[in-house]
Amino acid sequence: MQIVPDARVHPFEVATHLRCGLERRHPGPHVDLVRELDDASRGEVWACRREGRAPTGVAILPDCPADNGLPGGDNDACTLYRCHPGGHSFQCADPEYEALRTGPVYARLAASIHGRLAATDRTAVAGDRI
């Protein structure tokens, strides 16, 4: 399967660990981002596959134009493709991130960071996220 015809691509620029970015219970095939293109106006390369199967093809799809509308640095753009089914990426929980964030390693890291901040006379507020 050719990812981008006639393009010289370093193998590490193509994602091989595929994980669907769409909502958990979405209709149709899983769609996984496999490569960002140098020219964002062209879109990105997405692999199409069925549950438990290898990708059956790829498509270059334009980016979703949606964002969460929050001001300043809190504004998040949707990282999916235009006209995707279901919610936007900023509306969906990431199960891998949530498992890491609520796990013991994260808790130890957060405690260490807050301890160092407190030791340097910076304000560390209990419950702050890192």
Side-chain angles (χ1 to χ4, degrees):
M1 170 171 49
Q2 267 189 308
I3 300 297
V4 181
D6 302 323
R8 300 280 183 237
V9 180
H10 191 280
F12 294 134
E13 291 182 11
V14 176
T16 56
H17 174 75
L18 301 181
R19 193 176 126 225
C20 186
L22 298 174
E23 273 185 332
R24 282 190 180 175
R25 292 173 187 83
H26 62 82
H30 293 293
V31 184
D32 308 87
L33 177 65
V34 293
R35 184 165 189 271
E36 295 179 0
L37 299 176
D38 292 335
D39 180 0
S41 68
R42 292 182 55 207
E44 297 171 318
V45 181
W46 296 81
C48 305
R49 64 181 176 86
R50 294 278 175 197
E51 185 68 39
R53 303 256 173 120
T56 55
V58 295
I60 297 175
L61 301 172
D63 293 335
C64 178
D67 65 48
N68 65 5
L70 296 176
D74 292 328
N75 189 28
D76 283 329
C78 182
T79 59
L80 299 172
Y81 55 91
R82 185 182 303 270
C83 298
H84 58 82
H88 297 291
S89 62
F90 51 81
Q91 297 170 318
C92 301
D94 181 340
E96 286 183 11
Y97 171 76
E98 291 302 316
L100 289 172
R101 192 183 65 75
T102 58
V105 173
Y106 184 92
R108 285 193 304 272
L109 178 61
S112 175
I113 289 171
H114 288 290
R116 288 181 188 261
L117 287 174
T120 59
D121 292 330
R122 290 190 180 176
T123 304
V125 178
D128 276 356
R129 292 187 182 184
I130 54 171

